[in-house]
Amino acid sequence: MNTIKFANGKNIPIEMHKTRIVQKLRLPNIHERFDALQAAGNNLYLLDNRDVFLDMLTDSGVNAMSDNQLAAMMNADDAYAGSRTFFELKAKVQELFKMDYFLPAHQGRACENIIATALIKPGNVIPMNYHFTTTKAHIVKNGGTVVEVLIDEGTQTNSTFPFKGNVDLKKLKEVIERCIC
């Protein structure tokens, strides 16, 4: 494993990769991009993918896969039922988490939707450091209310605070006290 040495003297291990798969992209000119954004009402979720050159909206699988990931996909048993790959996954989940049951889903947001549907009831108050758009949507769709309890530095883009995602414990305590009373 290689390492990168940072200015603070820390060595951070990094895994080296070569990109094996490439996909041809189209770079719309600035006028096309502007027109597409206006037509979508400035809503990034309403843009057609063909109008996007660099997708910075998501972190969901938009990077190149390693040769091992691609090989595993080619070797997978993708049968609808009775898949060998499912049973291998089940065995690994049982080994790692000692759980007899699990519900595989294709994406974290899908899992989040299942959990929110099962657990969030109308009137529930859900404190969180800062919402992700789909997280908030799943909570609100099920009748819950999101209350953000992020530290003040979390919204200050020019702050040098080391971790802006911290929960403000005073704000959290106030939310809990308000909900209990």
Side-chain angles (χ1 to χ4, degrees):
M1 174 105 22
N2 293 317
T3 60
I4 293 179
K5 186 169 189 164
F6 284 86
N8 65 6
K10 279 191 171 183
N11 285 320
I12 305 296
I14 62 165
E15 196 172 318
M16 303 301 291
H17 292 91
K18 289 181 185 177
T19 300
R20 301 247 182 208
I21 300 293
V22 294
Q23 180 181 2
K24 187 175 180 180
L25 298 175
R26 174 181 165 271
L27 175 56
N29 68 47
I30 190 168
H31 302 293
E32 291 173 305
R33 295 193 310 270
F34 182 76
D35 291 345
L37 192 56
Q38 278 193 317
N42 293 316
N43 183 338
L44 301 179
Y45 289 97
L46 297 178
L47 281 173
D48 287 337
N49 191 46
R50 70 176 179 271
D51 295 323
V52 176
F53 177 68
L54 181 59
D55 183 354
M56 296 178 68
L57 180 63
T58 182
D59 60 355
S60 300
V62 295
N63 295 313
M65 287 194 270
S66 73
D67 51 353
N68 289 332
Q69 289 170 313
L70 286 166
M73 280 178 41
M74 296 298 113
N75 190 37
D77 175 4
D78 59 359
Y80 188 75
S83 163
R84 170 187 47 80
T85 309
F86 169 79
F87 291 110
E88 290 172 2
L89 175 62
K90 181 179 177 183
K92 186 54 73 173
V93 168
Q94 288 174 334
E95 174 192 335
L96 295 174
F97 300 105
K98 311 295 185 230
M99 296 172 60
D100 291 329
Y101 303 100
F102 74 104
L103 180 61
H106 72 287
Q107 188 179 46
R109 289 182 194 91
C111 297
E112 181 182 82
N113 184 39
I114 292 167
I115 291 169
T117 301
L119 300 179
I120 306 295
K121 305 296 178 224
N124 285 165
V125 174
I126 312 299
M128 56 196 320
N129 56 347
Y130 195 77
H131 75 274
F132 186 71
T133 53
T134 56
T135 306
K136 186 172 185 178
H138 290 140
I139 292 167
V140 170
K141 179 184 82 165
N142 288 287
T145 301
V146 171
V147 178
E148 292 174 353
V149 292
L150 181 67
I151 59 171
D152 294 336
E153 293 87 354
T155 57
Q156 298 170 5
T157 55
N158 61 350
S159 168
T160 58
F161 195 79
F163 183 69
K164 297 180 183 182
N166 288 335
V167 168
D168 183 317
L169 295 178
K170 183 178 178 205
K171 291 178 186 177
L172 178 60
K173 182 179 179 185
E174 290 170 2
V175 170
I176 292 170
E177 288 173 349
R178 216 173 33 239
C179 291
I180 292 174
C181 297

